[in-house]
Structure formats: structure tokens, C-alpha cells
Amino acid sequence: MEGEEGSKFELEVISTSGVYKTPFSLIILIQLFIGGFVLFIVNLWFINSLYYLLTGIELYSVGLKAEWYYWLLLPLNIYGNIFLFVFTVILFSGGIFRILNKISPPREGIFERGSKEWKYMHRRFWTAYFPIWLARALPLPWLDIIAYRSFGTRVGRSVVLYEGYVDPLFVEIGDFTMTSLNICIFSHLIYQDKLLIKRVKIGKACVVGPHTIIAPGTIMEDFAVLGVNSYTKINQKLEGNLIHVGTPVSITLPIQSVEESQHKAVKVKESTIFDNTSQKKTDSHLQEE
Amino acid sequence: MFQPVSLKGNSPTPIDERIRKKFLILYIVIIILSLIPTSLFEFWYITLFWSETYFWIFFIALPFNVFLSIYLIQLSAILISVLFLKIIILIHNPKEGNFKRSIEDRDYYFWTLRNIVKKWPLYVTASNPFPWLKNRFTLRFYGVKIGKKTICDNSWISSEFVSIGKNVIIGMNSTILSFAIEQDNIILKKIKVDDNVLIGAKCVLLPGTIIKRNTKLSAHSYTNHNQVLEENSIYRGHPAKLKENN
């Protein structure tokens, strides 16, 4: 962040958008075709036996003879087909993603609209779109994490990432973090015909509350908590072992254990019952603690 | 991804339970009518290719057949709902204004009926891998004006009384509501977004807002009822306040 532009970004506090222009729909068509092709080839042997089941004629000389238990295996086949399709699409688009990274290696910084970085970020975005859409459409919750890992994002062990928008590049998520519903983690932002790309780091065992936006350049230290419905500034640092709340984040609160907070609540109750008149005393008593 | 699972649903079309019960048959009829073209297509496909000479075409073209039938369902659902919608608009023309939220109120009644007709095609097109099909394709059939080169794929947009200009970017998870329910009243008012506007992530536009040319609305902010955002400026806050004016 150098020069006038950088200072302006810091003044403006918060990102304006999280979408690139014009979808690169052709790449989705190619991914669909590759997935369908692999599905077709793998299925040939099963269709062979199915044809035999229906008509009694052998289609190919090489093939399995149909038995009665094949009908029991049919639903398994359909479900397996879905997973085969998803995994091939994820692997293939991960390959495309790496090739795009080789052609123009991703950099952090501020770029003009229509520059090479802009174009390639936009292509990477749309290659990542379809596999993660597919992974989110299936009932397995860990599938989208595998998709993210195939694009090279660092996602730690036992991370909760069921929902929300996460950029595939320049995002690091530590072990045991939990993200809630409807969150956005941006490593890019579009501001006045300029594109800013900055790395986002989320530490170990963090909690990202629902309806939050994490702007590019934020660093969450280990055990930090981001409160509900708040968003972070660009290049903001959230300290560990604290709760951060605000739009943008400005208030910090200590994390209390359940026993501690209950103990305090009980003390307040007792004081109000027995000492209704001397409210100030109890307050000072609490402050001392 | 990108689109969270909770946002994969159709655009906001609240339906009154009292009116839904009366028009359940209409809803089912729309679903069945939209499935007829695909079943005819499948029948044609099987009769043509299921023979000993052409069986290889049957298997090679099977994946294309599946995708084509999915898109046929979506297209026919849109067209049939548009047909029903035209009939409903002939009976009662949609109006802006404040209305009572009761069954006797004719405007509220027909507003929910329109939502019932739009429900199925919006649901079907929302569950589609191509991002442009949900908003930019279907909403244009319902009379929402969306200009060229706009991006509004990952957002909720009401299906009535909305006009969006050219070259607009609407961010992730932001919602554009041309209706508001306040206790026993419902407010319907037109939202207008002009050219080259940039709306950030998670914004909410309430009914009656007008955003003029080249303005930017920062992320995580919402506008009031009937608020006017002026040209060439930046807005931010709850509700949106002027931040910078070029």
C-alpha cells in the first residue's frame, strides 16, 4: 500500500463489491462436457449388462452377464455416477486452475480494469465457480473443502465451511476454525475501476459469525471471534482471544467462560435482592474483581 | 461457491398461506404443463434411436439428452408462467402504493397470485449451474428491465417494479426489494438503478429507492424507503449517508 491510491483505499474503509464482470460461461460448458465424457466411458460396462437384462441380447463380447442382484445395485450406480461426475469436474478444473496460475502467476497489489491481472483473476474465478457449485449441491459437507484444496487454497483440519462465499486464491484458513451462515471472505475488491488483491489469514480455532464480511488484508489471530453482522476494514488485524464486533469492527470484548459469566450474574442477582438501596456498592465490588 | 446454499433459492416471493390454499391446483397445473414438452421429447428420442442399428447413437447422445431435457423443463416453465401471468394482468393491472394485508384487498390478492405463478420457474432456474439463467434470463420475461453488461447473478432481485440500467455491478448476497411488509400494510414501490452503478456486497435496497448514474453504494449498507442517491458519489452506512461527492 504505497502512494496516494493506497491511502485512499485505507480512508474508504470497506470493499464495494465481490463480483467480477461477465461470466466466462464457456469454461462451464467445457467442464460439463469433460465430466459427461468420463461418466459415459465408465458407464459403458454397466449399460452393457443393463441392455442384456432388458432384451437378452449381448451387445459386446466383453461384458458382465446380468444377474438378479444387479437391479439392487442400480441405485448405487446412479449415486456413484453423480459422485464420479463431481470428482472428475473438480480434478479437471483444478488442473485448469494450476495452468492459469502458471501462465500468469497471481500477485498482490492494485490493478487497473482491463489489465492482465484483472483478466486472469476473472478467468480463475469462473473456473472455480462450477466445481464448488456442484460440491455444495451434494449432501457431503467436506466435499467443497476438497474442491478448495484442489485449487491450492490452504484449508486446515476439521474446518467448518458449509456456507458462504470464499475466494479460492490468497486465503488461508487454520485448523478447527468455524464459519457460520451467509459469510463473505474476500481476498479481492473492486473500487472505482481498480482491483485490489491482498492476502487474508484466518488463524487456528477462530469463529466467524453469521452475516459478516472479511475484507482483503485482514489477519485474524488464533482463537479470535468475529461477532454477528459486522465487517472488517482493509488490512485490519484482529487480536486473538477476544471478541470483535462493529460495522466496521471497532469494539473488542473479552471471552468469558460460561461458569465465570454465570457466577457474575448470580452475584448481581444476590446483591439486587438483599441490597436494593446500595447499587453503587455492588458495582464497585464487581469492578474490583 | 460462491453462492451460499441459503441463497440458491428463488428470488423473494412471499406467498400468503390463506391465498396459497385456493390456488394449489393452479400451481400443480403449471408444474405438469411445463413437464409435457420434455416427456414428448423423450418419447421421440426413444422411438427414434432405440433400435438395433442406431443403439450407439442412443448411448453417445444420452448425456446431451439429459442436459437438453433439464433446459427444456426450465424454458417451458418460464413460458407457461408468462402465459398465466399475462392472463392475471388482464384481470387486474399491477399498481404501486400502500395496501392492506387482507384477502378482501384486491391488489394484495393479485400480488400474491402473481407470486404463486412465478414460484415454480424461479425455483427451477435457481438450481442451475449457469449463473446468468436465474436473474438475467428469467426476470426479463417478467418485465424486469435489466440493461446490457450488468452483473446481478448472486443476488436476490424482486420480480416486479425493478429497473436496472447498463453496466451495473451488484455484489454478493445483496437484495433488491420492491415490496415491504409493515404490520398490516404492504408497500409496493418501484426501484430504479441507473447506468454504471456499483452496489456492494450484502446491501439492501428498500422500495422506492432511486440510485442515479455513476454512484457507488458501499458494502453492508441499506437504503431507506424512497431514498434518492445522487450522481457521482459514494454512500455508506445504516441507512446510507453521503460519504464523498466527486
Side-chain angles (χ1 to χ4, degrees):
Chain A
M1 308 297 286
E2 290 169 4
E4 290 178 1
E5 291 167 359
S7 61
K8 210 176 183 185
F9 273 124
E10 279 176 329
L11 270 176
E12 194 35 57
V13 175
I14 181 64
S15 66
T16 27
S17 180
V19 196
Y20 293 99
K21 275 256 175 186
T22 54
F24 188 44
S25 284
L26 186 73
I27 198 89
I28 298 176
L29 266 176
I30 293 166
Q31 284 165 350
L32 268 173
F33 182 78
I34 293 287
F37 184 71
V38 171
L39 205 73
F40 168 69
I41 285 176
V42 173
N43 266 327
L44 261 180
W45 69 268
F46 195 88
I47 288 164
N48 186 12
S49 60
L50 193 70
Y51 187 76
Y52 183 81
L53 262 179
L54 289 169
T55 57
I57 306 160
E58 266 188 341
L59 264 180
Y60 309 102
S61 56
V62 185
L64 291 163
K65 288 271 162 61
E67 301 286 338
W68 62 270
Y69 54 81
Y70 272 65
W71 288 107
L72 296 180
L73 292 175
L74 188 66
L76 203 77
N77 169 51
I78 291 164
Y79 214 58
N81 276 341
I82 293 166
F83 280 101
L84 188 75
F85 181 76
V86 173
F87 274 108
T88 48
V89 166
I90 286 170
L91 282 177
F92 175 71
S93 47
I96 291 177
F97 204 85
R98 265 135 210 239
I99 288 165
L100 285 173
N101 279 358
K102 277 265 168 78
I103 290 168
S104 82
R107 285 190 293 138
E108 297 175 40
I110 301 162
F111 307 105
E112 290 278 326
R113 169 176 274 181
S115 63
K116 196 184 174 190
E117 251 69 22
W118 175 289
K119 275 181 189 170
Y120 271 88
M121 280 305 283
H122 151 256
R123 276 166 199 170
R124 278 184 210 114
F125 179 92
W126 287 109
T127 45
Y129 183 91
F130 183 55
I132 293 168
W133 187 91
L134 272 177
R136 290 268 163 90
L138 286 187
L140 295 179
W142 41 263
L143 211 65
D144 53 344
I145 290 169
I146 285 176
Y148 276 118
R149 278 177 188 162
S150 76
F151 302 130
T153 354
R154 282 185 199 167
V155 182
R157 278 190 299 132
S158 64
V159 168
V160 181
L161 256 188
Y162 301 135
E163 273 227 354
Y165 173 95
V166 181
D167 265 334
L169 262 180
F170 293 122
V171 173
E172 288 175 23
I173 299 171
D175 302 342
F176 309 114
T177 51
M178 198 199 88
T179 61
S180 304
L181 302 181
N182 213 343
I183 54 140
C184 295
I185 300 174
F186 294 130
S187 70
H188 77 277
L189 84 90
I190 297 161
Y191 177 75
Q192 298 207 341
D193 297 342
K194 281 190 177 96
L195 176 72
L196 169 79
I197 298 166
K198 205 97 199 289
R199 187 177 291 275
V200 173
K201 274 184 191 172
I202 297 171
K204 283 180 188 174
C206 290
V207 176
V208 181
H211 291 275
T212 52
I213 303 174
I214 293 180
T218 49
I219 297 165
M220 278 178 82
E221 289 178 350
D222 296 353
F223 309 107
V225 178
L226 185 62
V228 183
N229 217 352
S230 51
Y231 62 78
T232 61
K233 293 177 200 171
I234 297 158
N235 297 332
Q236 199 169 23
K237 200 175 180 185
L238 306 184
E239 273 183 51
N241 294 313
L242 286 171
I243 302 169
H244 301 268
V245 192
T247 53
V249 169
S250 51
I251 306 161
T252 51
L253 303 162
I255 298 175
Q256 290 175 329
S257 66
V258 179
E259 290 172 356
E260 201 177 340
S261 57
Q262 275 178 352
H263 184 67
K264 255 184 188 178
V266 167
K267 264 194 174 176
V268 170
K269 257 189 181 177
E270 282 174 351
S271 62
T272 45
I273 290 163
F274 296 111
D275 262 350
N276 266 327
T277 49
S278 59
Q279 192 69 34
K280 283 178 188 175
K281 257 188 183 177
T282 54
D283 282 344
S284 62
H285 181 67
L286 278 171
Q287 272 175 8
E288 277 171 4
E289 280 194 352
Chain B
M1 253 175 197
F2 273 27
Q3 214 165 15
V5 182
S6 57
L7 267 180
K8 256 183 200 165
N10 44 10
S11 27
T13 51
I15 293 166
D16 199 318
E17 196 64 38
R18 296 167 289 180
I19 302 167
R20 193 217 298 266
K21 279 177 195 165
K22 290 184 181 176
F23 291 97
L24 192 72
I25 293 163
L26 178 74
Y27 188 63
I28 292 163
V29 162
I30 287 168
I31 292 170
I32 289 167
L33 279 177
S34 65
L35 293 177
I36 283 172
T38 36
S39 60
L40 283 174
F41 169 72
E42 289 295 326
F43 180 73
W44 169 79
Y45 184 82
I46 289 166
T47 48
L48 199 66
F49 293 124
W50 189 255
S51 57
E52 284 186 27
T53 48
Y54 292 117
F55 70 91
W56 53 277
I57 296 176
F58 182 88
F59 289 123
I60 286 169
L62 198 65
F64 298 104
N65 172 35
V66 170
F67 286 119
L68 236 159
S69 57
I70 289 165
Y71 285 104
L72 253 175
I73 289 169
Q74 291 169 353
L75 202 80
S76 55
I78 292 164
L79 291 177
I80 283 159
S81 75
V82 165
L83 207 137
F84 276 98
L85 205 72
K86 289 252 160 104
I87 294 164
I88 289 162
I89 286 170
L90 273 178
I91 296 164
H92 184 88
N93 208 30
K95 268 193 301 185
E96 298 174 35
N98 294 13
F99 307 108
K100 273 267 179 280
R101 220 149 60 82
S102 64
I103 310 175
E104 282 87 51
D105 196 296
R106 227 171 134 68
D107 280 287
Y108 179 65
Y109 190 84
F110 276 92
W111 178 72
T112 40
L113 216 167
R114 272 178 262 140
N115 285 347
I116 288 166
V117 169
K118 285 167 194 168
K119 180 95 182 162
W120 161 249
L122 282 173
Y123 167 77
V124 169
T125 50
S127 54
N128 183 299
F130 287 96
W132 43 267
L133 205 119
K134 178 190 156 194
N135 287 343
R136 266 186 283 164
F137 190 76
T138 43
L139 289 183
R140 273 173 183 162
F141 278 93
Y142 298 141
V144 174
K145 280 179 189 170
I146 298 172
K148 279 183 182 176
K149 289 188 177 179
T150 54
I151 271 260
C152 52
D153 301 324
N154 295 318
S155 52
W156 276 0
I157 298 172
S158 299
S159 51
E160 276 181 343
F161 302 125
V162 175
S163 75
I164 299 165
K166 288 177 200 168
N167 233 345
V168 178
I169 298 178
I170 297 174
M172 203 65 55
N173 300 11
S174 52
T175 53
I176 296 178
L177 302 169
S178 66
F179 67 91
I181 294 166
E182 290 194 351
Q183 295 174 5
D184 285 344
N185 294 318
I186 181 161
I187 300 162
L188 296 176
K189 199 113 197 249
K190 191 164 185 177
I191 285 183
K192 204 181 171 194
V193 179
D194 282 354
D195 300 348
N196 298 326
V197 171
L198 202 151
I199 296 169
K202 285 183 186 170
C203 287
V204 181
L205 306 190
L206 290 181
T209 50
I210 295 167
I211 303 182
K212 290 181 179 173
R213 293 177 69 242
N214 297 331
T215 44
K216 273 123 191 153
L217 187 63
S218 188
H220 212 291
S221 53
Y222 66 83
T223 62
N224 258 337
H225 290 270
N226 306 326
Q227 197 175 2
V228 180
L229 309 189
E230 281 165 23
E231 287 182 20
N232 302 321
S233 43
I234 296 165
Y235 281 81
R236 184 166 76 80
H238 314 88
K241 281 164 196 161
L242 188 69
K243 191 87 202 312
E244 202 175 295
N245 203 344
N246 300 330

